[in-house]
Amino acid sequence: VCNHFNRAFRTVRLEQDSTAGIVPFTTYNTGSLPSGGPARVLSINTAYQEAGVEMINAGISNVVPIVNITPPATKWSDAELHASMVNNFSLYQSLPQWAVWLLHAYEHELGPGLYGIMFDQQGLQRQGCAVFYRGIGGVSAEQRRLQLYTTVHELGHCFNLLHSWQKSYATPPKPNIPGSL
């Protein structure tokens, strides 16, 4: 018998920063579009809460300056994203911790078809990801749902969650599920 400690499996501190001109995703009402589930208003925090992960906002939200970015100035490389995380993420440490950084930006150098990326491949833990509003921006119900999906998806990579078609890379390996979202 285990004593109840917390309704969350894990507690994570989340800092969300954005670049100038980008209005970050806040919420999506699942009743806006057919979903097969109950209508409710979801944010990043409440979506993860339903999965047993308590996301606590770090209480800091910076506008990240676009400096030293490869022209045109709205496109980011992975190296530029990592340098920006090191310089702007107030909770950044090169130590294992349950803290993640999400940057809301305009576009990655790979183009508008890339909605988001977990760029932080350095060190022992993953703590930085970004979403790109060139592909997911807007205020329609479809765009809000895509913003929710993309932000939750990219943050999942910070927890070392793999795409369904990459399960064979896991330790131990699992079968890939190529047709799964």
Side-chain angles (χ1 to χ4, degrees):
V1 174
C2 295
N3 293 327
H4 178 76
F5 177 72
N6 190 332
R7 63 184 284 202
F9 171 70
R10 179 76 58 210
T11 299
V12 179
R13 293 177 296 163
L14 170 64
E15 182 176 325
Q16 297 184 67
D17 293 342
S18 61
T19 57
I22 299 297
V23 178
F25 166 79
T26 54
T27 61
Y28 166 66
N29 182 344
T30 65
S32 302
L33 295 169
S35 68
R40 63 216 188 276
V41 176
L42 289 177
S43 64
I44 294 168
N45 300 58
T46 57
Y48 269 99
Q49 183 179 38
E50 286 187 11
V53 176
E54 180 182 33
M55 286 280 198
I56 298 174
N57 292 327
I60 298 163
S61 182
N62 300 307
V63 174
V64 174
I66 302 175
V67 294
N68 301 323
I69 302 299
T70 306
T74 57
K75 294 185 179 184
W76 292 79
S77 70
D78 291 353
E80 291 162 342
L81 288 165
H82 193 274
S84 185
M85 177 184 70
V86 170
N87 291 325
N88 294 284
F89 181 25
S90 65
L91 302 173
Y92 177 79
Q93 295 182 44
S94 188
L95 300 169
Q97 63 172 339
W98 288 100
V100 293
W101 186 64
L102 172 60
L103 178 65
H104 300 265
Y106 183 68
E107 186 177 6
H108 191 274
E109 65 184 2
L110 294 177
L114 183 66
Y115 296 164
I117 195 163
M118 198 289 301
F119 59 83
D120 183 19
Q121 300 290 331
Q122 300 178 22
L124 300 174
Q125 72 284 336
R126 310 293 175 247
Q127 53 188 325
C129 62
V131 293
F132 303 106
Y133 285 74
R134 171 109 190 253
I136 66 170
V139 296
S140 71
E142 290 86 359
Q143 291 162 321
R144 293 280 185 195
R145 179 168 61 182
L146 183 58
Q147 291 164 19
L148 173 66
Y149 173 84
T150 305
T151 55
V152 169
H153 173 107
E154 295 308 330
L155 285 165
H157 291 313
C158 291
F159 306 135
N160 287 324
L161 297 176
L162 298 169
H163 291 119
S164 60
W165 62 89
Q166 295 176 321
K167 299 295 184 184
S168 61
Y169 297 132
T171 304
K174 303 288 184 203
N176 290 331
I177 310 168
S180 173
L181 289 176

